[in-house]
Amino acid sequence: MATVTERTPFRQAIAGHSVMELAREFGTPSYVYDASVIRQRIADLRRFDVIRYAQKACSNLAILDLVRREGVLVDAVSAGEVQRAIRAGYSPAGEPAPIVYTADIFDRESLQLVQELGLHVNVGSPDMITQLAEVAPGSHITIRVNPGFGHGHSQKTNTGGEQSKHGIWHEQVEDCLIRAERAGIMVSGVHMHIGSGTDFEHLSQVCAAMERIVLQVGRSVTTISAGGGLPIPYRNSESYIDIDKYFELWDASRNRLAESLGHAITLEIEPGRYLTAESGYLISEIRAIKQTGKNLYYLVDAGFNNLARPILYGAYHPMSIASAQPAGERLQDVVVGGPLCESGDIFTQEDGGVVCSRPLPVAQVGDYLVIECAGSYGFVMSSNYNSKPMAAEVLIDGEQRHLIRKRQTFEDIIHGEMIP
Ligand code: LLP
């Protein structure tokens, strides 16, 4: 099992590459990913039959290519994510399905792609069954079931229970089976994902709910998916969940089901955060330091347009300083903010927008501030708010470092706009 390494707020290098050199070469703000961390996290989960990467966490083509080479399959939640997977070398069909389309609706574009490519669908709403039958009769599907409970690191990432729009409500499974049978659709898989960034206790409650639903669906089921949701330790006080114990719970459920149904059951897991969060660093430059009343602010050139998790969820990310000057050891309480013209553009905030300070090394303008554990739901949630370009992305693989996305230019930002 992975162990937590105590993080410190002093950092001169990422995976052996100097932060200063990375900043000089690629500019700031830039996302930097360490390939070895992603490979390690994949290795942690090898006991599951299928690891399916929830690419919504970090969908750069180079990251998808990396996980594909490790034998990891992929989940796509939109036509765009399906196309990304294909560009990264996944084939649309195969057994087990290399790409699964998981959603609660088909927009017109995704339904057309599903039809053209013959993609496997993980259905989150009863209407999707009928819509799929019209374009792809005879398909096999997975049903994503909302077991009636859920949990996440924030209410916004809880995907179970009746406050969640996700999945087929557990009491409607029977109706869906009838609907599927009438439409000539075969339910070959059951999937549950109760939330993102939850804990062991909640995750393990899913096994019993899964067993109940699979027995209700019956012998057509050949695959079960535990969904994603594995947490990672953002704070030094947090730890990893026990992956082996988690696997053993699921393995036992799978074995009981195989026994009851009389055939083998494939066990999938579908993590996003767990595979990429810790690999990613957002490097920013401190551009101003100012005292405002009792608060000392470090203002950096990355904002919530680059990393939205703090303003959206009050999410905590570790931070460190790479100093251009000989680094002192002294810490001081600071508030870290970005460049955007909005008071909420603060990286040190708690849920509800409460501005907090935290101890960080004494720094000067021109030093670099690194926001850590930013590889999942970091770049992918960025925007062009305030007409700021999206950051560059860089992949470190051992000695090598590769630019895997250019920083946007002003022309990229206004691309497609027209003055009539
Ligand atoms: N599978 C399904 C069907 C999902 O809805 C999700 C996440 C995952 C897998 C992957 O969950 P993970 O293993 O990453 O926890 N933007 C939020 C997270 C939203 C997750 C939405 N669904 C954040 O920054 O925390």
Side-chain angles (χ1 to χ4, degrees):
M1 193 183 68
T3 50
V4 191
T5 20
E6 187 88 354
R7 297 188 192 93
T8 85
F10 300 93
R11 168 178 292 284
Q12 291 304 325
I14 296 172
H17 294 246
S18 144
V19 172
M20 226 107 48
E21 274 176 43
L22 288 164
R24 269 189 224 119
E25 189 173 335
F26 301 105
T28 55
S30 284
Y31 272 95
V32 175
Y33 308 100
D34 177 356
S36 70
V37 173
I38 301 176
R39 292 200 186 97
Q40 181 54 53
R41 292 295 165 262
I42 293 170
D44 296 345
L45 301 176
R46 288 269 185 225
R47 292 178 76 192
F48 288 83
D49 301 333
V50 172
I51 307 172
R52 187 175 295 287
Y53 177 46
Q55 65 168 293
K56 74 199 84 181
C58 183
S59 56
N60 184 292
L61 295 177
I63 302 292
L64 296 183
D65 175 67
L66 188 161
V67 302
R68 184 182 59 77
R69 287 171 193 277
E70 295 295 314
V72 170
L73 306 183
V74 74
D75 176 60
V77 298
S78 66
E81 285 195 357
V82 169
Q83 285 166 314
R84 278 185 177 278
I86 288 169
R87 285 288 178 93
Y90 283 97
S91 42
E95 194 46 47
I99 305 172
V100 168
Y101 175 79
T102 295
D104 297 286
I105 64 157
F106 285 121
D107 52 28
R108 307 250 166 218
E109 211 184 342
S110 58
L111 188 57
Q112 193 178 337
L113 264 185
V114 163
Q115 177 182 19
E116 277 169 23
L117 302 173
L119 295 171
H120 186 89
V121 179
N122 181 15
V123 162
S125 300
D127 286 320
M128 292 175 74
I129 300 174
T130 323
Q131 289 160 351
L132 181 67
E134 280 163 17
V135 301
S139 296
H140 287 206
I141 58 168
T142 300
I143 52 171
R144 174 184 182 174
V145 177
N146 175 340
F149 60 87
H151 192 250
H153 67 78
S154 146
Q155 190 43 43
K156 293 175 188 149
T157 68
N158 176 347
T159 59
E162 59 186 30
Q163 304 286 31
S164 163
K165 64 175 180 165
H166 294 291
I168 290 169
W169 186 242
H170 59 112
E171 290 166 347
Q172 279 180 13
V173 168
E174 199 55 48
D175 293 349
C176 285
L177 294 176
I178 295 167
R179 196 189 272 247
E181 196 177 334
R182 282 201 190 125
I185 297 282
M186 166 89 102
V187 180
S188 61
V190 179
H191 170 284
M192 281 183 196
H193 171 87
I194 57 154
S196 194
T198 176
D199 53 36
F200 190 84
E201 202 189 315
H202 287 90
L203 282 170
S204 48
Q205 285 168 6
V206 179
C207 294
M210 174 66 86
E211 287 186 48
R212 267 198 314 277
I213 300 290
V214 172
L215 292 175
Q216 188 182 352
V217 177
R219 296 203 61 230
S220 61
V221 176
T222 53
T223 301
I224 57 173
S225 172
L230 302 179
I232 63 115
Y234 286 100
R235 297 174 192 263
N236 280 341
S237 57
E238 294 167 344
S239 53
Y240 294 96
I241 67 162
D242 185 337
I243 298 283
D244 283 331
K245 207 164 130 200
Y246 183 58
F247 169 79
E248 276 145 26
L249 287 176
W250 273 106
D251 193 38
S253 288
R254 172 259 290 280
N255 290 337
R256 280 192 292 271
L257 287 171
E259 175 87 355
S260 307
L261 301 180
H263 58 242
I265 299 284
T266 304
L267 175 59
E268 294 202 358
I269 188 162
E270 193 178 73
R273 185 187 318 274
Y274 189 78
L275 296 194
T276 44
E278 292 162 284
S279 77
Y281 300 80
L282 174 58
I283 304 181
S284 67
E285 186 185 345
I286 300 178
R287 298 298 303 156
I289 297 180
K290 67 181 181 189
Q291 187 78 45
T292 299
K294 62 176 178 14
N295 286 330
L296 180 65
Y297 285 84
Y298 286 178
L299 297 184
V300 301
D301 60 4
F304 75 69
N305 57 310
N306 301 113
L307 178 66
R309 300 191 73 255
I311 192 172
L312 272 181
Y313 319 113
Y316 178 97
H317 283 267
M319 291 178 198
S320 52
I321 299 285
S323 183
Q325 286 59 286
E329 294 286 292
R330 211 156 62 77
L331 301 181
Q332 59 188 354
D333 281 336
V334 293
V335 177
V336 179
L340 302 180
C341 191
E342 180 153 338
S343 303
D345 189 24
I346 296 291
F347 289 116
T348 47
Q349 63 178 293
E350 283 175 0
D351 210 8
V354 180
V355 171
C356 304
S357 62
R358 79 166 74 163
L360 282 177
V362 172
Q364 297 178 33
V365 170
D367 287 348
Y368 298 104
L369 182 128
V370 181
I371 305 183
E372 310 195 357
C373 295
S376 291
Y377 309 109
F379 183 90
V380 287
M381 291 175 75
S382 55
S383 75
N384 286 131
Y385 188 43
N386 283 192
S387 291
K388 303 288 281 180
M390 291 189 195
E393 290 179 287
V394 175
L395 179 64
I396 295 179
D397 199 352
E399 306 268 285
Q400 310 272 316
R401 50 192 193 221
H402 310 278
L403 181 65
I404 57 171
R405 178 196 275 265
K406 291 184 189 159
R407 180 179 314 287
Q408 278 186 325
T409 62
F410 174 67
E411 291 304 322
D412 294 330
I413 296 177
I414 58 165
H415 179 77
E417 290 184 35
M418 283 162 284
I419 298 176

